[in-house]
Amino acid sequence: MAAPLGGMFSGQPPGPPPPPPGLLGQASLLQATPGIPRTSNSTLVDELESSFEACFASLVSQDYVNGTDQEEIRTGVDQCIQKFLDIARQTECFFLQKRLQLSVQKPEQVIKEDVSELRNELQRKDALVQKHLTKLRHWQQVLEDISVQHKKPADLPQGSLAYLEQASANIPAPMKQS
């Protein structure tokens, strides 16, 4: 697994991998972007960045805007994306290996990070609980207000006429037009 990690480990030949055989005759989308030369001490992060730029360039390339064979376009874009994904996997593998080395060499550091993550999660969840309690208090108040309003008509005198008189007293009188 160490061989394809793009110069990150000793004993690996530096430099970019050769372009796929299908792209030798055309302007290769997998080569580094013009203006950003590849150096012999290129790192995996540099390769990831250049492959991302190549993906982006392939999507906005003037060759594709002018309209060439759709299958050729699709193949080129797919190859760029595949290269980017491969290098992203290699990058992830590299960092996972470094994380494993750290956990073996300094286990207390891993425990400190775990404790810190758990504290942050507790703070986030406490804030979420407080937010929900605030909403709960608000809706309890709304329900209490509604129940008080529904109890008021029961305090009124019995009979439909008395209820209608009380209800119509709250309605403003229409304004007279001049």
Side-chain angles (χ1 to χ4, degrees):
M1 190 57 149
L5 289 178
M8 295 298 275
F9 296 99
S10 60
Q12 178 185 356
L23 294 178
L24 290 176
Q26 57 181 319
S28 177
L29 299 174
L30 299 179
Q31 292 183 1
T33 320
I36 303 177
R38 283 265 178 116
T39 60
S40 62
N41 59 358
S42 172
T43 64
L44 189 58
V45 174
D46 293 336
E47 288 183 26
L48 183 68
E49 181 181 7
S50 66
S51 67
F52 175 76
E53 290 171 353
C55 285
F56 189 71
S58 70
L59 295 173
V60 296
S61 173
Q62 197 65 356
D63 294 336
Y64 296 150
V65 173
N66 294 338
T68 58
D69 182 26
Q70 291 295 321
E71 194 59 36
E72 182 180 330
I73 294 170
R74 185 173 316 226
T75 303
V77 171
D78 286 346
Q79 287 176 346
C80 284
I81 292 172
Q82 189 60 44
K83 180 181 178 193
F84 174 75
L85 292 174
D86 289 342
I87 294 174
R89 285 186 199 103
Q90 292 172 9
T91 306
E92 181 182 22
C93 181
F94 172 78
F95 284 110
L96 288 174
Q97 287 174 348
K98 291 297 181 182
R99 178 75 176 170
L100 179 63
Q101 288 175 356
L102 179 67
S103 68
V104 169
Q105 294 171 354
K106 296 183 179 184
E108 69 278 356
Q109 182 66 30
V110 175
I111 293 171
K112 285 180 185 178
E113 289 176 4
D114 289 344
V115 168
S116 176
E117 288 175 9
L118 289 171
R119 283 188 182 136
N120 289 338
E121 186 175 348
L122 279 174
Q123 289 175 348
R124 183 185 61 80
K125 288 184 178 182
D126 283 341
L128 187 61
V129 166
Q130 291 302 320
K131 178 182 167 186
H132 286 298
L133 285 175
T134 303
K135 287 182 179 181
L136 180 64
R137 287 187 196 109
H138 168 74
W139 287 111
Q140 284 175 336
Q141 184 63 42
V142 168
L143 288 174
E144 186 178 309
D145 292 346
I146 290 173
S147 67
V148 168
Q149 289 176 355
H150 285 292
K151 289 181 182 177
K152 285 184 180 178
D155 296 339
L156 296 175
Q158 297 297 326
S160 59
L161 186 58
Y163 179 74
L164 288 174
E165 287 175 352
Q166 181 66 28
S168 65
N170 294 331
I171 299 174
M175 299 193 58
K176 296 180 180 178
Q177 293 182 351
S178 313

